[in-house]
Amino acid sequence: MTEKRPPLAAIVLAAGKGTRMKSDLHKVLHPIAGKPMLGHLTDKVASLGAERTVIVAGAGREQVEGFAAPLGLAVAVQAEQLGTAHAVLQAQGALAGFAGDVLILYGDVPLVSAETMARMIDRLNAPDRPAIVVLGFRPADTLSYGRIIAQGDHIVKMVEHKDASPGERAETLCNSGLMAARAADLWPLLARVGNANAAGEYYLPDIVMLAAADGRASAVIEAEADEVAGVNSRAELASVEAIWQRRARDRVMADGATLIAPETVWLAWDTIVGRDVTIAPNVVFGPGATIADGVTIHAFSHIEGASVARGAIIGPYARLRPGAEVGEEAHVGNFVELKKARLGKGAKANHLTYLGDADIGAGSNIGAGTITCNYDGFGKYTTRIGEGAFIGSNSALVAPVAIGAGAIVAAGSVVTRDVAADALAVARGSQEDRPGWAARFREKKRAERAK
């Protein structure tokens, strides 16, 4: 039986100005797979059962507070950027009285997994009880990362790149910045950190060497470089998005779906895809999409906030907007848009159609060019179509209106009243033919041009 872990808290550093993003939106609120980077981290921390989470903000803190408030998360303020140790220290007040383990994370490093966070906490609580656990990685290019000198997994020295000797810079194990420590150790160590270094900043990694000076060892665990990729620019945001998408596609395929051209399919953070689903190239999922088993999604379709039941066929060039529900074996074809519309089992809308605020019965057929006129400039209204109804091409159904089960609406109709079950509705002007009119018209125009 696994021993119960101590209580857990998390500190997420998000005080950077993010100037390289060139954006009015706070850097950590830029989305990956449709969710703010900060949200990816706070979700994972919550999944580990953290009792408290504190976000340390600086410039743009109002935006961070707007994110944190609905989630009940605390925000601490770093008014001056004096280094990472100083930033962590700003969370002390929000964690007053907390006596458990503390994870230190970065708001612009969103891909670190809950499993890796758990490994850090497990290592902190291992029998040798290290003072600090540091998450290290080995990038292809060590660039200007701080280095970790270790024997086994015990840290001998940590040094910032600016302050490292040539020999230390040759070390490939780098510091991600992510750490775990017990609250009882963290605050006293932070209080002792100085700024006698090349940048004049209070460096968080110094707490490892301060613990060593007290005769207490610290440990390092390693993660893949992709997992600790940071975001400081739009290009890096795109790179991290690509990493997330690649992993998500791999999971979808491992769970039994076919992605014909995986690199062209874009998933959201919460996309659910069942078994034996086939997804053609250039399909995009926004947040809130659920795809059941056996669904086929043809190319260039966009699905967001919608559910698709077993065996349905979507696209190509279909758009399912929030509130769309596609029933079993239903068809939504090319250039068809659904918004807050339920398409019953086996129903078909195969061409050039808009169905908004609609309830469409099983087995119905919606002809090409059909529109539910659901908005009058002030309110939205519902169209109800019964089972087995047939709506002819280029019909406009002016809501609120109900088409009874088995009814037929003639092509080109503008329906403004309810149609009874099994009735035929013809709501269009009568046709009038004028023999010879076209020929006389052409002759008249030729004569006018000849003058």
Side-chain angles (χ1 to χ4, degrees):
M1 183 174 177
T2 303
E3 187 176 335
K4 186 178 179 181
R5 291 183 185 139
L8 177 65
I11 300 170
V12 183
L13 302 186
K17 294 180 179 179
T19 53
R20 288 168 56 193
M21 295 294 287
K22 294 182 172 60
S23 177
D24 293 332
L25 181 65
H26 195 291
K27 178 172 70 170
V28 300
L29 299 181
H30 280 263
I32 299 293
K35 177 188 281 289
M37 287 190 282
L38 189 56
H40 284 273
L41 287 173
T42 56
D43 280 358
K44 293 166 192 171
V45 167
S47 75
L48 295 176
E51 292 185 2
R52 302 191 206 180
T53 297
V54 183
I55 304 167
V56 179
R61 64 179 178 271
E62 297 84 3
Q63 294 184 25
V64 175
E65 288 167 347
F67 168 87
L71 302 176
L73 306 179
V75 176
V77 177
Q78 185 187 28
E80 292 184 86
Q81 290 189 310
L82 301 178
T84 48
H86 178 261
V88 175
L89 199 55
Q90 306 316 300
Q92 186 174 10
L95 291 180
F98 179 78
D101 298 335
V102 180
L103 274 171
I104 301 170
L105 309 170
Y106 288 77
D108 58 2
V109 183
L111 298 185
V112 59
S113 68
E115 291 76 14
T116 294
M117 296 179 194
R119 284 199 297 128
M120 294 171 69
I121 296 301
D122 287 343
R123 184 66 186 89
L124 185 68
N125 289 285
D128 61 340
R129 305 277 292 175
I132 311 291
V133 173
V134 179
L135 185 63
F137 69 109
R138 298 181 188 272
D141 188 338
T142 55
L143 299 171
S144 58
Y145 293 113
R147 302 299 202 273
I148 301 173
I149 315 300
Q151 292 180 350
D153 73 346
H154 285 86
I155 298 172
V156 175
K157 184 178 182 181
M158 291 182 66
V159 59
E160 294 294 323
H161 182 270
K162 296 174 184 177
D163 303 308
S165 68
E168 289 166 342
R169 290 181 181 181
E171 174 59 57
T172 60
L173 183 58
C174 295
N175 175 24
S176 71
L178 280 68
M179 295 186 180
R182 283 169 284 276
D185 295 327
L186 179 61
W187 308 122
L189 289 170
L190 286 170
R192 292 163 56 191
V193 173
N195 66 344
N197 51 60
E201 293 188 354
Y202 297 89
Y203 288 144
L204 181 61
D206 286 358
I207 64 175
V208 172
M209 302 319 299
L210 288 168
D214 294 340
R216 301 191 60 199
S218 295
V220 59
I221 68 169
E222 294 189 38
E224 294 295 324
D226 281 355
E227 193 173 348
V228 293
V231 175
N232 293 293
S233 66
R234 304 283 183 151
E236 290 176 350
L237 180 69
S239 177
V240 169
E241 177 80 40
I243 294 168
W244 190 98
Q245 291 292 338
R246 185 176 66 247
R247 292 177 178 176
R249 294 167 190 143
D250 288 347
R251 285 195 299 271
V252 166
M253 291 187 287
D255 289 341
T258 295
L259 276 57
I260 294 173
E263 69 281 1
T264 71
V265 174
W266 292 83
L267 302 159
W269 65 275
D270 60 350
T271 304
I272 298 172
V273 179
R275 295 178 60 183
D276 295 318
V277 171
T278 299
I279 303 176
N282 299 298
V283 172
V284 176
F285 295 92
T290 300
I291 312 301
D293 296 348
V295 169
T296 298
I297 304 174
H298 292 297
F300 295 99
S301 295
H302 187 284
I303 302 173
E304 179 174 0
S307 63
V308 181
R310 186 182 185 95
I313 299 174
I314 307 298
Y317 294 97
R319 185 182 182 195
L320 306 185
R321 292 169 56 193
E325 299 178 23
V326 180
E328 291 184 11
E329 301 174 0
H331 293 189
V332 177
N334 49 287
F335 304 104
V336 174
E337 179 179 351
L338 270 62
K339 190 278 298 183
K340 201 176 180 182
R342 185 189 70 84
L343 199 63
K345 181 177 180 179
K348 297 178 181 179
N350 279 325
H351 320 280
L352 304 162
T353 292
Y354 172 71
L355 301 172
D357 296 281
D359 192 318
I360 299 154
S364 296
N365 189 91
I366 311 300
T370 296
I371 296 172
T372 58
C373 306
N374 59 327
Y375 182 53
D376 65 0
F378 296 93
K380 297 288 181 73
Y381 307 95
T382 301
T383 297
R384 301 187 188 281
I385 299 174
E387 294 186 5
F390 183 95
I391 311 300
S393 297
N394 288 321
S395 293
L397 310 179
V398 183
V401 70
I403 312 298
I408 295 176
V409 173
S413 293
V414 178
V415 178
T416 59
R417 304 193 301 267
D418 290 354
V419 178
D422 294 320
L424 168 66
V426 182
R428 61 191 182 206
S430 60
Q431 182 172 323
E432 178 185 354
D433 293 347
R434 299 184 182 184
W437 186 93
R440 292 192 298 273
F441 174 77
R442 288 190 291 270
E443 288 173 4
K444 178 183 176 182
K445 290 298 181 182
R446 291 189 190 107
E448 290 174 352
R449 289 177 183 172
K451 289 181 180 179

